[in-house]
Amino acid sequence: MVTQKAKGVIRSAILVPNELERKTILLNGLSNDDITTIQCEIDKNHKIIFSSIYMDKEKDIPIEILNKITNHAKTKNIPLVIGSDTNAHSAIWGCSKRQDETCKRGPIILDYINNNDLFIENDPDSDIPTFDSHVGRSNIDLTITNSKANKIISNWEVVQNNISDHNSLEFNKRGGIGSISVTANIAPKLCSEFQNSCANGFKDSEKLDKILQPVHAAMFIESNPSPVKYAACLLYTSDAADEEDSV
């Protein structure tokens, strides 16, 4: 996994296959806590740039660094693939009319795409949303490409059973291993027991999953890291109170 070393909370990363690990470099000038940009050498004649971008809904869309990433790929004449949680709605990429009309971020993303001659790979008619949790369903996650990458991408689709906490049981049942867990920050022992159960025949997996699901829901009630920080604060306060009671 490649990510930027930063002082704050890191909210982006890119998983790289083992065979490409030594052929991948992190582009530090085009990365920060919320953006991870890498260049991979597929073979001697082919390179590609990937950028994983989290756009905090409480912050302005980072147009300046988006343009830097796009211009870098254009200057190098390299395919560019951006995967982004945009927190932006538009009917162009499959959001509802209500979401489209009430969101001011969508037009900003569209201007960036149009001004840089980029492409949206998402299928607006897909029945599977890119974001699906207890708080709702939407298509705020976009795959954006330049013309060189657009030519080599086909059959774009949403992988329904991803490795998010709330889908972890189904992911493991379908042959996946482990998960990228938010809940593990708050309930590490329980999450470890769950994963061990999945790796050893699923004996107690469903029971543990039922216990964990309400915690998963609480951890994603708002954009992270706020829920995790709040839960950690509650745990610390509870532990401190227990220590005082035992004195």
Side-chain angles (χ1 to χ4, degrees):
M1 183 171 70
V2 180
T3 189
Q4 172 84 338
K5 293 182 179 179
K7 295 180 180 179
V9 177
I10 297 173
R11 297 189 287 187
S12 69
I14 298 177
L15 295 176
V16 178
N18 290 333
E19 60 269 24
L20 292 179
E21 185 176 1
R22 293 185 177 181
K23 299 179 180 180
T24 298
I25 59 172
L26 174 69
L27 302 179
N28 286 290
L30 303 176
S31 302
N32 57 36
D33 294 9
D34 293 339
I35 299 175
T36 301
T37 305
I38 63 173
Q39 179 177 298
C40 293
E41 183 179 323
I42 308 302
D43 55 44
K44 292 183 178 179
N45 299 315
H46 297 91
K47 296 178 181 178
I48 188 166
I49 294 173
F50 293 100
S51 190
S52 171
I53 303 175
Y54 174 72
M55 300 187 190
D56 192 326
K57 65 181 181 180
E58 303 298 332
K59 298 180 180 180
D60 292 337
I61 291 172
I63 290 297
E64 183 177 352
I65 192 167
L66 286 175
N67 285 328
K68 285 182 178 180
I69 292 169
T70 307
N71 291 333
H72 179 80
K74 184 177 181 179
T75 301
K76 297 291 184 180
N77 197 29
I78 296 176
L80 168 66
V81 178
I82 296 173
S84 178
D85 176 356
T86 65
N87 275 305
H89 299 94
S90 172
I92 298 295
W93 50 81
C95 296
S96 69
K97 184 179 180 180
R98 181 189 64 80
Q99 291 172 326
D100 188 3
E101 291 175 346
T102 57
C103 182
K104 297 180 180 180
R105 296 167 64 89
I108 300 174
I109 297 293
L110 280 173
D111 283 345
Y112 159 70
I113 291 170
N114 292 331
N115 291 339
N116 289 282
D117 298 320
L118 302 176
F119 297 81
I120 300 173
E121 299 296 336
N122 296 53
D123 177 6
D125 298 321
S126 174
D127 293 329
I128 304 174
T130 61
F131 174 79
D132 187 4
S133 80
H134 72 288
V135 298
R137 311 171 86 224
S138 186
N139 291 293
I140 57 176
D141 303 293
L142 297 182
T143 302
I144 301 170
T145 61
N146 63 5
S147 59
K148 293 186 73 67
N150 175 257
K151 294 176 181 178
I152 59 177
I153 289 180
S154 61
N155 301 319
W156 180 97
E157 64 176 342
V158 178
V159 179
Q160 189 169 15
N161 296 303
N162 55 46
I163 54 178
S164 297
D165 280 311
H166 61 283
N167 285 327
S168 189
L169 178 59
E170 187 66 25
F171 175 76
N172 279 273
K173 282 184 175 180
R174 290 174 177 263
I177 300 174
S179 73
I180 299 175
S181 178
V182 173
T183 304
N185 290 285
I186 300 303
K189 183 178 179 181
L190 198 57
C191 289
S192 178
E193 289 175 356
F194 168 76
Q195 291 297 337
N196 287 334
S197 177
C198 290
N200 292 282
F202 298 96
K203 182 180 179 181
D204 298 314
S205 299
E206 291 192 7
K207 180 179 74 173
L208 293 168
D209 185 61
K210 287 181 180 180
I211 296 172
L212 283 166
Q213 282 299 330
V215 189
H216 298 332
M219 290 302 98
F220 289 92
I221 197 167
E222 291 183 4
S223 298
N224 273 295
S226 296
V228 172
K229 287 184 175 180
Y230 182 69
C233 181
L234 291 177
L235 286 173
Y236 175 79
T237 303
S238 176
D239 289 343
D242 288 343
E243 289 181 4
E244 288 182 3
D245 290 341
S246 64
V247 175

